[in-house]
């Protein structure tokens, strides 16, 4: 260990470059040898100019460090510049997903929804009775409306009507059992207000065996009925296998009547079937899965796009589930999942809907310039849409994140999102409190912000800008023969089986082959950083990279000198500890010598051990003492 310390100390001495081991000597040596202009003048000029050059050097050095801080801060902000470029080339046709707004044929699911539909009919009659009552009795106490249904359909979340004629004493009526569920008093008729202000439709949400209840209010009975029906609908269909739900939906051959792409005939066989919980069976054209050849558009214009006739068959619509009669479609990238509810558009029946497409390609820089992700592998959220062999998207991440939180907090998964491993869909029988838990999560700002923080936008993405136009189709003059032809091709029937309420003509094409690429590039890089650092240093101090190295050298030398001084200080403290401590002034040499032969000379307050007697007696030191000249002369005369 001692050898290592000695070697380290010698190494410090060898590394130190200055002429000495003091800060002043090192500073003078640096000023004489540096290539920077200012410090040389500090040691070579006279006293007055020396002060002036010292102040100038100090000010300019401060400016250099300030400018360096600004430049480094700009570099570490990782700013980007956006460039827009326009290209012209033949392009791959986008993937087109088409669905019916109604997920299932009513004739195939009617047996599952019969009780639920009757219950909603009764609820509508009883809600309508509110506007016709003018007595103080309960508006729902009508014996003709009393009916008994399966309580499992509404016990956990009944529809209620809140009578706020007296705001201080509102009355809550249960729509389904015609009884006053809870009341704080009887409302007086003197303060009666309008129907909309007096009555509120709400869904009662109870938890913990009906001990804790809250109300989710709606401004319209239509909104309340549709929301309540959808919740009950989700509970019923959550227990049905996927294969059966696909059979209940619209088949491709029944929905896609005609197809043409780029002037060439195509059919429903060119579409890939996919199941969407909101819209049932959907069909994707040019999805680009493995083994499928991508379609390219030969030219822009309506004649070189996708043209097809769709039959949505509104006679099969579920009455209380879907109030919109239309087809739902979306344009998206190949191998990406179509999120029709979030990003899709409607095509109205009885029209020719033309969609002119322009392409925008977006390219973001990766970290640290942005928080984008290349393929989603660095996102701490399991992508539940991977089973569709689809690429990462921000919508898939947000939905997967919400479903994960749903399973964690509610112990079941929501019906409209993919099912995680080991979880089951929520239903009223197995999870009676799931609706209240779902609404709490849906309204939670914390859950939304957490998912937004976890999910990142993709670095490369393509957006399709659409210009939509519509016209009546078929025209009055061509309506008869078009419907006859379509009916025969669909059902082989000479009778007309299609009508304008169900037929849609879609025409999707590139408006032009010009595409826009919006790309990001780094505003600053390492070359920019070094150039600006060197430029600022050369402008204010007249130095170069070698001068920066000299500054680094003197800093290292100062560190070594500090270390050497600390080592020397430590060594001095150790030596001081080894020295004996005396309460009185230290003894003289004669006192130390006398202590060898005269033990009585020791101080009384000190407990000294007897000193060993040396082998040779000490000399008589009195003969060495200086004597006066008179005494010497007297002695010499006596001797004579």
């Amino acid at each position: 260990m001692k050898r290592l310390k000695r070697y380290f100390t010698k190494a410090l001495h060898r590394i130190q470059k200055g002429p000495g081991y003091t800060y002043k000597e090192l500073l003078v040596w640096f000023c004489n040898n540096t290539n920077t202009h200012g410090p040389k003048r500090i040691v070579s000029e006279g006293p007055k100019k020396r002060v002036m050059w010292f102040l100038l050097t100090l000010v300019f050095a401060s400016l250099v460090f300030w400018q360096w801080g600004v430049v480094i801060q700009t570099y570490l902000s990782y700013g980007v510049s956006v460039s827009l470029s326009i290209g012209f080339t033949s392009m791959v046709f986008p993937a087109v997903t088409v669905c019916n707004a109604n997920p299932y044929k009513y004739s195939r699911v009617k047996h599952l929804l019969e009780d639920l539909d009757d219950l909603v009919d009764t609820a509508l009659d009883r809600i309508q009775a509110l506007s016709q009552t003018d007595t103080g009795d309960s508006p729902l106490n009508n014996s003709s409306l009393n009916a008994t249904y399966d309580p499992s359909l509404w016990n956990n979340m009944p529809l209620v009507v809140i009578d706020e004629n007296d705001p201080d004493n509102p009355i809550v009526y249960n729509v389904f059992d015609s009884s006053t569920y809870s009341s704080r008093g009887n409302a007086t008729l003197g303060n009666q207000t309008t129907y909309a202000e007096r009555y509120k439709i709400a869904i009662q949400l109870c938890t913990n065996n009906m001990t804790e209840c809250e109300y989710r209010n709606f401004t319209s009975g239509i909104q309340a009925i549709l929301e309540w029906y959808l919740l009950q609908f989700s509970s019923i269909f959550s227990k049905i296998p996927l294969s059966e739900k696909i059979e209940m939906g619209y088949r491709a051959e029944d929905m896609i009547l005609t197809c043409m792409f780029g002037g060439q005939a195509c059919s429903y066989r060119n579409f890939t079937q996919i199941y969407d919980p909101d819209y049932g069976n959907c069909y994707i054209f040019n999805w680009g899965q493995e083994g499928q050849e991508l379609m390219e558009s030969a030219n822009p214009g309506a004649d070189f796009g996708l043209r097809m006739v769709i039959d949505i068959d509104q006679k099969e619509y579920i009455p209380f589930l879907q109030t919109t009669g239309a087809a739902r479609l979306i344009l998206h990238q190949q191998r990406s999942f179509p999120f029709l509810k979030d990003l899709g558009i409607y095509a109205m029946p009885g029209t020719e809907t033309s969609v002119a497409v322009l392409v925008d390609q977006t390219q973001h820089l990766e970290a640290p310039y942005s928080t984008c992700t290349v393929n989603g592998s660095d996102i701490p959220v399991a992508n539940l849409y991977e089973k569709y062999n689809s690429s990462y998207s921000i919508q898939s991440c947000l939905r997967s994140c919400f479903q994960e939180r749903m399973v964690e907090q509610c112990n079941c998964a929501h019906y409209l999102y993919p099912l995680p491993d080991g979880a089951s869909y929520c239903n009223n029988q197995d999870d009676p409190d799931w609706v209240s838990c779902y609404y709490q999560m849906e309204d939670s700002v914390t859950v939304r912000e957490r998912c937004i923080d976890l999910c990142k936008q993709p670095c490369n993405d393509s957006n399709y800008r659409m210009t939509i136009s519509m016209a009546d189709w078929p025209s009055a003059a061509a309506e008869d023969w078009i419907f006859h032809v379509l009916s025969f091709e669909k059902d082989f029937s000479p009778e007309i089986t299609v009508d304008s309420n169900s037929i849609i003509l879609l025409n999707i094409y590139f408006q032009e082959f010009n595409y826009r690429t919006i790309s990001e590039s780094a505003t600053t890089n390492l070359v920019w950083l070094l150039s600006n650092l060197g430029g600022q240093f050369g402008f204010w101090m007249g130095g170069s990279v070698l001068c920066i190295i000299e500054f680094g050298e003197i800093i290292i030398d100062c560190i070594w000198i500090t270390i050497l001084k600390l080592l020397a200080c430590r060594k001095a403290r150790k030596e001081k500890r080894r020295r004996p401590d005396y309460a009185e002034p230290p003894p003289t040499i004669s006192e130390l010598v006398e202590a060898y032969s005269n033990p009585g000379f020791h101080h009384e307050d000190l407990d000294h051990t007897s000193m060993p007697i040396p082998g040779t007696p000490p000399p008589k030191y009195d003969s060495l003492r200086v004597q006066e000249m008179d005494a010497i002369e007297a002695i010499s005369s006596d001797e004579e």
Side-chain angles (χ1 to χ4, degrees), residues 491-614:
D491 301 323
F492 299 100
S493 173
E495 303 294 333
I496 294 178
T497 58
V498 297
D499 53 42
S500 59
N501 292 327
S502 300
I503 298 300
I504 303 171
L505 175 60
L506 284 178
N507 196 6
I508 304 170
Y509 56 91
F510 282 119
Q511 183 175 345
E512 55 186 24
F513 275 174
N514 288 337
Y515 66 92
R516 300 190 308 176
T517 301
I518 303 173
S519 58
E520 294 179 348
S521 59
T523 304
T524 60
N525 52 30
L526 186 59
V527 175
W528 178 91
L529 176 65
L530 295 177
S531 299
N532 279 273
L533 293 178
Q536 295 296 330
F537 187 68
F539 177 75
W540 294 108
M541 297 292 292
S544 62
V545 178
L546 295 178
C547 299
I548 298 176
I549 297 175
E550 291 175 354
F551 276 109
E553 183 183 19
I554 190 175
I555 292 174
I556 294 174
D557 288 341
C558 289
I559 294 174
W560 294 144
I561 291 176
T562 303
I563 294 175
L564 290 175
K565 288 184 175 294
L566 291 175
L567 292 175
C569 182
R570 181 181 178 185
K571 184 177 180 182
R573 286 199 301 268
K574 288 183 178 180
E575 292 179 353
K576 185 177 181 180
R577 292 193 191 99
R578 297 193 188 101
R579 296 174 183 174
D581 296 331
Y582 298 97
E584 299 178 356
T588 60
I589 295 178
S590 59
E591 290 176 343
L592 291 175
V593 172
E594 185 68 20
Y596 281 99
S597 57
N598 188 4
F601 185 76
H602 296 289
H603 294 281
E604 295 180 356
D605 56 343
L606 298 176
D607 186 14
H608 293 288
T609 58
S610 59
M611 301 295 293
I613 300 175

Side-chain angles (χ1 to χ4, degrees), residues 16-22 24-30 33 557:
Q16 203 272 335
K17 300 296 182 182
Y21 299 104
T22 64
K24 181 179 180 180
E25 292 175 348
L26 181 63
L27 182 61
V28 173
W29 174 82
F30 171 78
N33 294 276
D557 288 341

Side-chain angles (χ1 to χ4, degrees), residues 35 38-39 57 73 112 142 197 219 306 338 357 387 415-416 431-432 453 480 594:
N35 292 315
T57 303
Q73 184 179 6
L112 298 172
N142 190 335
E197 294 178 352
T219 58
L306 177 64
V357 183
K387 63 181 181 180
Y415 169 72
L416 298 180
D431 310 284
D453 292 339
D480 185 62
E594 185 68 20

Side-chain angles (χ1 to χ4, degrees), residues 39 65 132 188 251 391 432 456 488 497 636:
F65 286 114
Q132 300 174 357
T188 60
R251 298 183 303 172
S391 58
K456 302 176 183 178
F488 180 78
T497 58
S636 60

Side-chain angles (χ1 to χ4, degrees), residues 162-171 186-194 197-199:
I162 304 175
D163 185 355
E164 295 183 345
N165 188 45
D166 183 3
D168 296 330
N169 298 289
I171 304 175
N186 294 323
T188 60
L189 298 177
N191 297 326
Q192 185 171 353
T193 58
T194 62
E197 294 178 352
R198 175 177 175 178
Y199 298 107

